[in-house]
Amino acid sequence: MKRKLSWLGLVPFTVYIFAFLVVPTLLAVGSGFVDAAGGFTWGNFSVYENPVVWRTFGSSTLISMVTAVIGAVVGALVCWALTGVQPGGPIRRAMDAAASVLAQFGGVMLAFAFIATMGAQSILRIWLRDTWGVDIYAEGVWLYELPGLVLPYLYFQIPLMVITFLPAIERLRPQWAESSATLGATRWQYWRYVGFPVLAPSFLGALLLLFANSFSSYATAAALISQGAQIVPLQIRAALIGETGASVANTAGVLALGMIIVMAVVMSLYSLLMRRAARWQQ
C-alpha cells in the first residue's frame, strides 16, 4: 500500500508534463498533417524540397556543433581546474552557484546584455574604436548574423558543461592513479589507458547534451537576428507569422517534426552514453 501511495506523488509532475510538453508537442506536430481546409494531407512535407530549409538545418547543425565542441572543451578544463579547489570552500561554492545561474541565463535578457556590451553602438566597440583604433565591426555587424550566435550560446553552454561533467571528473578515484604509478605507468599512460577511457562516455554525453541545448535554442537567436531565418527555430517562426495563410503556417509542424527527430536521435545517444558512464560512477 505504501508503494502504491508513493506513486501518487508523481501525479502532479505527470499532469504538468502532459499539459505543457506532450500535448503542445502533439498539437504542433499534428498541424503538419493538416491542410488549409482542415483535412489530412502529406503535402506539407513538400517544404523539404526547398533548399532553403535544408540550409537552415545545416546552419543549426553547424552552430550547435561549434558551440558544443568549444563549450565542452572549455567546460572540461574548468572542471579539471575545480578539482584542485576545496570542495566545500567559498571558491567552489561560488563557482557552483555561478554555473547553475548562468546555465539558465538566456533568451532576450542574454541578447540584450550582448547588444549593450558589444553591439553596434556598445560600450566595448566605442571604447576600442576611440582608444585603440580597433573596430570590431569593420567588416559588418556580425553580432546580428549567424556567427554572432557563437558567443551568446557559449555563455550558457560552458556553465552547462561544468554542471554536467564535473561529477564525472570528481569520481576519478585517486587509487587508480596510485595503482598505475605503482605498476610503473607514466602520467600520460594513466590518462591514455585509464583516465580518458573512463571519462570519454561522460564527455561525449555532455557534448551531445550541449548540441541538443544549442539546436533547440530560440529566444536568444530571435532577439539577435531580426532579418531572415537562418536556423530552424527561426524558420518555424517565419512559417507561423507568414502572411500567405494557413498553408504556410502548417509547414511549421513539419519543421518541428524534423527538429524532434534530430533531438530524439541525439538524446537517445546521450542516454546510451550515460548508462555506460554510470558503470564507473557507482
Side-chain angles (χ1 to χ4, degrees):
M1 180 62 68
K2 289 183 178 180
R3 283 187 174 183
K4 293 181 179 180
L5 291 176
S6 65
W7 284 99
L8 294 177
L10 293 176
V11 172
F13 179 72
T14 304
V15 172
Y16 175 83
I17 291 296
F18 269 89
F20 295 99
L21 182 62
V22 176
V23 174
T25 300
L26 293 176
L27 291 176
V29 173
S31 66
F33 297 89
V34 178
D35 58 19
F40 179 83
T41 182
W42 294 99
N44 293 327
F45 282 84
S46 62
V47 70
Y48 287 109
E49 298 176 359
N50 189 347
V52 174
V53 172
W54 289 107
R55 281 199 296 270
T56 58
F57 270 92
S59 298
S60 292
T61 303
L62 177 61
I63 196 71
S64 300
M65 289 179 61
V66 170
T67 57
V69 170
I70 297 176
V73 172
V74 176
L77 293 177
V78 173
C79 292
W80 176 248
L82 288 176
T83 58
V85 178
Q86 184 179 359
I91 297 178
R92 176 61 183 275
R93 291 199 302 268
M95 291 297 295
D96 289 342
S100 300
V101 172
L102 296 178
Q104 304 299 324
F105 185 72
V108 177
M109 291 299 298
L110 179 60
F112 173 76
F114 270 86
I115 292 173
T117 304
M118 54 184 305
Q121 300 298 326
S122 63
I123 300 173
L124 179 62
R125 184 195 184 188
I126 294 175
W127 178 75
L128 288 175
R129 185 185 59 193
D130 296 346
T131 305
W132 302 99
V134 177
D135 189 0
I136 59 176
Y137 295 129
E139 302 297 329
V141 187
W142 46 263
L143 181 64
Y144 306 138
E145 300 175 357
L146 187 64
L149 295 179
V150 174
L151 288 178
Y153 278 19
L154 289 177
Y155 197 86
F156 55 76
Q157 292 281 67
I158 294 175
L160 181 59
M161 181 64 181
V162 173
I163 295 173
T164 307
F165 192 59
L166 184 58
I169 288 188
E170 288 182 330
R171 287 186 174 89
L172 278 178
R173 299 174 184 176
Q175 295 86 346
W176 296 343
E178 295 171 359
S179 299
S180 299
T182 302
L183 295 173
T186 63
R187 189 172 183 83
W188 163 247
Q189 288 174 325
Y190 163 73
W191 281 108
R192 170 66 178 82
Y193 296 105
V194 180
F196 289 145
V198 170
L199 292 177
S202 298
F203 180 83
L204 293 176
L207 180 68
L208 290 174
L209 182 63
L210 295 185
F211 177 89
N213 187 45
S214 178
F215 194 85
S216 60
S217 296
Y218 164 74
T220 303
L224 282 175
I225 302 178
S226 58
Q227 299 293 329
Q230 303 180 34
I231 59 177
V232 181
L234 299 185
Q235 187 73 34
I236 294 174
R237 179 190 66 176
L240 290 174
I241 65 176
E243 300 178 355
T244 55
S247 60
V248 175
N250 289 341
T251 62
V254 176
L255 296 173
L257 178 60
M259 285 195 67
I260 290 173
I261 293 174
V262 173
M263 295 291 291
V265 172
V266 171
M267 296 313 295
S268 297
L269 293 174
Y270 170 76
S271 179
L272 291 174
L273 288 170
M274 287 298 97
R275 283 203 294 268
R276 181 177 178 84
R279 296 187 306 174
W280 303 100
Q281 298 178 4
Q282 300 297 330

